Amino acid sequence: MKALIYKGPGEKSWSDVPNPQLINPGDAIVRVETTTICGTDLHILKGDVPAVQPGRILGHEGVGTVAEVGTSVRDLAAGDRVLISCIKSCGHCPNCRSGLYSHCLGDEGQSGIGWVLGHLIDGTQAEFVRVPYADNSLYKLPDGVSDTEAVMLSDILPTGFEIGVLSGGVKPGDVVAVIGAGPVGLAAIATAGLCGAGTIVAIDRDKNRLRQAREFGATNIVDSSAVDWRQKVLDLTDGAGVEVAIEAVGLPETFTMAIDLARPGGRIANIGVHGKSVDLALQDLWIRNISISMGLVNTNTTPMLLKLVAQHKIPAAKFATHTFTFDQMLDAYDTFARATETKALKVIITHQPTQP
């Protein structure tokens, strides 16, 4: 089969590799029909994730058809159309039983780490993938949900909802500021209304992404390159500040922006993946009763979000801006890596069967 292989920092190839095989009784082999690229994949290619070793097949998002199942798989069969979750779940350990799938103690990949696909084991940017703990890590797809819609549920939609909206404690009527209108920030915008957010402010310096934020449910947009960007947000709150500030970039300066926007008693939900330390002025924050949350997605809301996508209550298909076939994988990476120029949000990569 063909797969996208990480060769070391700055190096990748679309190459022939052996097809995956069942290893454990709970495994499934899935024929990948649609996959996509995450910003984390770009971090891996920069060498920012040293746990990813050369030779690893990248990717942790995908939709496909079950080709084969292990002897202990009970809920799936060959031919089932499934969503592949970015997080494994053994379903039996204390963390999984409490919904903390991101720290599944199953020994696949590494005990205590839920993100294994494209990280500690081979991933989804391939024609076939082995998925461990298949009964808990794959989700049957209902009719009427397209591959393009479904693949957004592998990672970005549950991440934006769980780590941004739910961890931020969004309540009915809240003013929510989302800093960073990339795919995960837009996912937070698209799901903030599920908890009743009254005003949803998208903050970014990319004018194209700000325009797109409107389509995902932002009631207001603010260009963070403007000198008075903060005042524009505060004007929407009578100067008090926002109830919830969601940081969806992963830079020290954007985290500081979130702190600057939160009202007394406000909540900061950090989604962004930070590559360096952030100064935290606790001497100023404690007296403002500020709460800060962060974390890796658990994907325990995936079944609920899948129902809402099936009911067309979340505009999942709008995330897709470019489409490629598997043999254009390297072009897809180039387009996604130049998102500012190409206006890419999520690139959809589909398998096209070889014609006889």
Side-chain angles (χ1 to χ4, degrees):
M1 70 171 186
K2 292 282 192 179
L4 194 285
I5 310 298
Y6 173 63
K7 297 285 190 178
E11 300 291 333
K12 62 185 180 298
S13 68
W14 179 244
S15 305
D16 287 306
V17 295
N19 283 22
Q21 304 295 318
L22 295 173
I23 296 175
N24 298 310
D27 292 349
I29 303 297
V30 177
R31 182 183 187 273
V32 181
E33 280 140 14
T34 299
T35 187
T36 185
I37 303 169
C38 180
T40 304
D41 297 320
L42 300 184
H43 280 292
I44 291 170
L45 286 167
K46 291 176 183 176
D48 293 343
V49 188
V52 180
Q53 296 297 303
R56 177 69 62 228
I57 297 173
L58 298 187
H60 52 266
E61 301 161 275
V63 172
T65 300
V66 175
E68 188 179 3
V69 298
T71 56
S72 70
V73 175
R74 295 289 178 263
D75 299 330
L76 299 163
D80 286 342
R81 181 168 167 260
V82 293
L83 163 70
I84 303 167
S85 176
C86 67
I87 300 294
K88 73 177 183 182
S89 171
C90 73
H92 303 295
C93 73
N95 287 345
C96 285
R97 287 200 299 270
S98 67
L100 193 64
Y101 305 158
S102 59
H103 295 282
C104 169
L105 296 171
D107 58 7
E108 185 71 48
Q110 183 176 329
S111 178
I113 296 180
W115 169 40
V116 295
L117 289 171
H119 177 208
L120 303 175
I121 66 173
D122 288 335
T124 59
Q125 290 168 9
E127 293 180 299
F128 291 89
V129 62
R130 179 182 70 90
V131 179
Y133 312 120
D135 279 334
N136 301 304
S137 305
L138 296 173
Y139 298 86
K140 290 183 185 179
L141 290 174
D143 294 337
V145 175
S146 69
D147 283 14
T148 295
E149 291 172 316
V151 79
M152 305 308 168
L153 289 158
S154 285
D155 186 349
I156 63 169
L157 277 169
T159 295
F161 183 54
E162 293 174 21
I163 308 304
V165 177
L166 294 184
S167 292
V170 175
K171 301 192 299 296
D174 278 353
V175 180
V176 178
V178 180
I179 301 163
V184 175
L186 291 174
I189 289 169
T191 56
L194 299 177
C195 292
T199 301
I200 305 170
V201 188
I203 304 170
D204 205 300
R205 59 179 61 235
D206 186 317
K207 291 179 173 55
N208 172 63
R209 290 192 166 181
L210 287 174
R211 285 193 296 270
Q212 291 172 317
R214 291 277 196 189
E215 298 184 25
F216 287 90
T219 59
N220 301 81
I221 57 175
V222 172
D223 184 344
S224 57
S225 65
V227 174
D228 61 345
W229 71 268
R230 181 173 180 270
Q231 189 58 50
K232 288 181 177 179
V233 179
L234 294 181
D235 286 346
L236 299 171
T237 69
D238 295 325
V242 303
E243 278 85 6
V244 183
I246 297 175
E247 198 282 343
V249 181
L251 295 173
E253 52 265 42
T254 48
F255 187 81
T256 299
M257 289 169 66
I259 290 173
D260 289 344
L261 289 176
R263 65 183 299 152
R267 303 172 296 282
I268 297 167
N270 183 89
I271 303 177
V273 178
H274 289 263
K276 61 175 74 171
S277 297
V278 175
D279 289 333
L280 195 61
L282 286 176
Q283 72 277 11
D284 299 324
L285 293 175
W286 74 271
I287 203 168
R288 291 168 53 197
N289 293 71
I290 299 295
S291 300
I292 301 174
S293 63
M294 65 199 77
L296 174 63
V297 65
N298 289 302
T299 68
N300 53 28
T301 65
T302 297
M304 180 271 289
L305 293 172
L306 181 56
K307 290 179 182 178
L308 294 178
V309 169
Q311 295 164 4
H312 307 293
K313 294 183 178 179
I314 298 175
K318 289 183 181 293
F319 287 98
T321 55
H322 296 72
T323 301
F324 300 87
T325 56
F326 272 31
D327 60 356
Q328 297 172 315
M329 183 73 72
L330 298 181
D331 293 332
Y333 260 92
D334 177 67
T335 296
F336 186 68
R338 296 185 296 109
T340 301
E341 303 167 50
T342 63
K343 298 180 170 54
L345 287 179
K346 293 292 280 184
V347 297
I348 300 299
I349 309 163
T350 62
H351 183 270
Q352 297 295 324
T354 302
Q355 296 299 318

